[in-house]
Amino acid sequence: MVNERMTNEAMDKLVSLCKRRGFIFPSSEIYGGLNGFWDYGPLGVELKKNIKEAWWNDMVTARIDMVGIDSAIILNSRVWEASGHVKGFTDPMVDCKECGGRFRADEIDTTPCPKHKEKMVCDCKDNLTEARQFNMMFKTYVGALEEASSLAYLRPETAQGIFLNFANVLATSRQKIPFGIAQIGKSFRNEINPRNFTFRSREFEQMEIEYFVHPSQAPEFYEYWRDMRYQWYLDLGLSKDHLHLREHEKEELAHYAAACSDVEYDFPFGTSELEGIANRTDYDLKNHMEYSKKDLTYFDDEKRERYIPYVIEPSAGVDRAALAFLCEAYSEEQVRNDKRVVLRFHPRIAPLKAAIFPLVNRDGMPERAKNIFDTVRKRYNVFYDDRGAIGRRYRRQDEAGTPFCFTVDGQTAEDGTVTVRDRDSMAQERISAEKVLDYLHDKLNID
Ligand code: ATP
């Protein structure tokens, strides 16, 4: 299904806005870029930081049953044997004998042909090779010798670092089952066909939770996490009309999973996964016990029961969340004779919370505006802009998704008030210059 609100043309506009306003740039751009890699600019890094902070605050800090870790990206290679990634982290790949392109065999119906833009890859069926399995883990070598014994992988998910530290966390954190361990960090997948802007990248960030439960409680905690993770995106501004929970069919489930749901979003290029929530049973801990020969069981000292916990895993992508928030926020409006582009971000994730302007650069206005700026920036990420016509400055902030703009003008010297302009309604009112921080605090309602 294609998102009706936003055509592919609008998606192109969003991509160009991201570049123009410093959200997202192609990586290594001055060398021609590198397919599947992206850099976040000054606004993009704030957007991503706000998403990660919202997740960490809501999933870890605000909860008594969660702790966080930050594990290494490169782990002992045995980890990936135990987890099944060395053998099974593959996608089926086909080659086109005509153009030399390589494609995911399960996506040929929706992947445009690089040579004939009007066709899909599946239209070149006669030129496609048989599908073969391609392992998506990036390889590297640890130490000076490039030999089999020093082979290592860049992690394709953050989850395994959590399982490896299960016993460490248990021994040091006073947590008792049910409890969870959270981690945010980079993951790497050598995707056959990176595409749809940042949606499918080769380097990306994940926000993952492994929530450890008694096996008998796994179904109820699975439902709990599935519903609460879905709600989290709604609370941050994704619309119910564009956000779906899709329960996997039995045949679709990974062999170790007892249940799995995807939180899906209607992107302009189709409805696609934002996050997966799975009941992974005791698969991971059991395999790590077998391969490492270490005890990863849990002992419940009240019930005098020893068992291998089941795990509920909500696994989200920061970059996909950022892209969904950008798509949701993007809107174009006709304002009199002018077109206005505005990013209607939820205040919690807006990169800038406010902008402060002097109307003109004289009559003490810059000094007064800078005073306000200095006060407010101690608390919020705000922008000072003294260049260009005021209308253009408002438009620039609309494109950045900044909820409020405060302007110091001639009246400020007379009665100590400034103009505040609302991003969404464009309504303006006057408030006391001394109350700017309180006003923001009330209106943003985010801390
Ligand atoms: P897909 O089917 O789209 O390849 P997946 O099911 O393999 O995704 P998971 O292994 O469940 O993805 O990873 C959890 C989350 O990590 C995904 O929901 C997504 O948000 C993010 N993610 C996975 N692969 C990528 C990627 N190549 N680029 C950006 N984010 C990704």
Side-chain angles (χ1 to χ4, degrees):
M1 189 176 98
V2 171
N3 185 351
E4 295 296 333
R5 292 161 305 131
M6 227 180 144
T7 58
N8 276 320
E9 189 193 337
M11 184 69 195
D12 291 343
K13 287 187 194 163
L14 177 70
V15 173
S16 100
L17 174 90
C18 283
K19 169 107 199 289
R20 184 159 44 83
R21 294 310 318 274
F23 280 94
I24 302 170
F25 307 121
S27 189
S28 323
E29 195 180 7
I30 60 169
Y31 290 99
L34 187 60
N35 194 10
F37 296 88
W38 299 92
D39 295 341
Y40 287 77
L43 289 179
V45 76
E46 293 292 334
L47 172 66
K48 271 219 308 188
K49 183 184 73 104
N50 293 343
I51 293 170
K52 289 185 278 184
E53 272 181 13
W55 186 89
W56 194 269
N57 278 326
D58 299 346
M59 300 300 128
V60 185
T61 315
R63 299 181 60 113
I64 200 163
D65 58 346
M66 292 284 297
V67 289
I69 62 159
D70 183 14
S71 72
I73 285 175
I74 294 179
L75 306 172
N76 189 311
S77 300
R78 295 269 294 157
V79 171
W80 306 110
E81 289 169 29
S83 67
H85 283 80
V86 169
K87 231 185 188 163
F89 195 61
T90 55
D91 270 341
M93 178 172 77
V94 293
D95 292 19
C96 175
K97 286 180 255 173
E98 192 194 341
C99 72
R102 292 194 152 160
F103 309 97
R104 253 175 80 162
D106 54 344
E107 288 184 348
I108 55 173
D109 293 350
T110 54
T111 308
C113 166
K115 213 168 169 191
H116 311 285
K117 295 282 180 225
E118 68 294 349
K119 287 194 194 172
M120 290 291 161
V121 171
C122 60
D123 296 325
C124 307
K125 226 172 195 129
D126 295 343
N127 292 321
L128 298 180
T129 60
E130 286 288 306
R132 61 195 190 286
Q133 292 301 320
F134 170 75
N135 192 302
M136 289 193 290
M137 283 199 293
F138 278 100
K139 295 190 180 80
T140 187
Y141 294 93
V142 173
L145 289 178
E146 289 193 10
E147 56 186 21
S149 63
S150 60
L151 177 66
Y153 303 96
L154 302 191
R155 68 179 175 200
E157 59 174 37
T158 64
Q160 296 305 321
I162 298 180
F163 295 123
L164 303 185
N165 283 291
F166 171 68
N168 284 337
V169 172
L170 209 52
T172 53
S173 73
R174 292 183 170 252
Q175 288 289 346
K176 285 191 162 157
I177 276 179
F179 80 99
I181 306 177
Q183 166 155 242
I184 298 179
K186 289 261 183 174
S187 292
F188 304 82
R189 296 182 187 179
N190 200 359
E191 297 279 356
I192 296 167
N193 221 246
R195 63 196 183 120
N196 292 331
F197 199 22
T198 53
F199 179 85
R200 189 172 300 290
S201 310
R202 288 176 165 143
E203 175 177 342
F204 53 95
E205 267 184 292
Q206 289 185 307
M207 309 182 281
E208 296 197 294
I209 294 168
E210 305 303 329
Y211 197 81
F212 301 95
V213 299
H214 187 277
S216 66
Q217 288 191 303
E220 94 194 54
F221 276 109
Y222 162 71
E223 286 180 15
Y224 165 82
W225 280 104
R226 179 195 62 192
D227 297 347
M228 99 98 86
R229 289 303 306 148
Y230 175 75
Q231 187 61 39
W232 188 78
Y233 293 99
L234 294 179
D235 292 345
L236 283 179
L238 296 190
S239 139
K240 223 179 178 130
D241 295 340
H242 311 139
L243 195 70
H244 318 281
L245 254 183
R246 188 178 68 79
E247 192 84 39
H248 285 207
E249 301 289 340
K250 272 244 144 39
E251 313 74 69
E252 202 186 339
L253 288 176
H255 64 92
Y256 49 80
C260 184
S261 290
D262 287 345
V263 178
E264 294 185 335
Y265 181 72
D266 296 338
F267 288 98
F269 43 81
T271 301
S272 302
E273 176 184 332
L274 268 189
E275 167 160 356
I277 300 100
N279 172 356
R280 294 180 64 96
T281 67
D282 58 3
Y283 173 81
D284 303 274
L285 288 177
K286 212 175 189 170
N287 276 359
H288 285 307
M289 273 179 70
E290 190 187 321
Y291 276 71
S292 69
K293 310 278 181 250
K294 295 288 183 310
D295 181 13
L296 300 177
T297 57
Y298 176 79
F299 185 66
D300 182 330
D301 38 33
E302 273 164 34
K303 292 197 186 126
R304 315 298 299 164
E305 183 189 3
R306 183 171 290 284
Y307 60 91
I308 305 175
Y310 269 33
V311 170
I312 310 303
E313 178 191 79
S315 170
V318 183
D319 309 79
R320 285 192 190 173
L323 186 57
F325 288 126
L326 278 161
C327 290
E328 185 78 32
Y330 186 92
S331 79
E332 289 179 7
E333 296 170 3
Q334 197 64 33
V335 183
R336 289 182 294 278
N337 294 330
D338 202 11
K339 196 188 76 191
R340 149 171 125 119
V341 172
V342 52
L343 292 179
R344 296 177 189 275
F345 286 128
H346 186 286
R348 237 180 136 187
I349 59 163
L352 294 163
K353 307 304 182 205
I356 321 282
F357 311 144
L359 183 63
V360 288
N361 284 316
R362 55 181 152 75
D363 303 335
M365 292 183 212
E367 292 75 11
R368 286 195 182 85
K370 282 226 171 85
N371 270 341
I372 298 173
F373 176 64
D374 285 340
T375 308
V376 179
R377 75 194 168 106
K378 291 196 181 92
R379 178 83 162 271
Y380 297 112
N381 191 32
V382 287
F383 189 75
Y384 182 83
D385 189 3
D386 59 5
R387 271 183 284 171
I390 195 76
R392 290 182 69 87
R393 280 184 258 169
Y394 285 148
R395 291 288 186 272
R396 280 180 62 76
Q397 293 308 316
D398 288 344
E399 282 190 340
T402 311
F404 297 102
C405 294
F406 297 92
T407 305
V408 170
D409 55 19
Q411 201 179 319
T412 311
E414 290 164 22
D415 64 5
T417 63
V418 294
T419 304
V420 49
R421 185 252 194 194
D422 181 287
R423 175 195 69 197
D424 296 339
S425 66
M426 294 188 288
Q428 298 190 13
E429 59 177 320
R430 294 200 76 90
I431 62 160
S432 160
E434 286 179 357
K435 292 270 160 63
V436 168
L437 195 55
D438 293 342
Y439 181 93
L440 264 181
H441 184 63
D442 282 358
K443 292 278 180 179
L444 293 172
N445 192 21
I446 55 177
D447 36 17

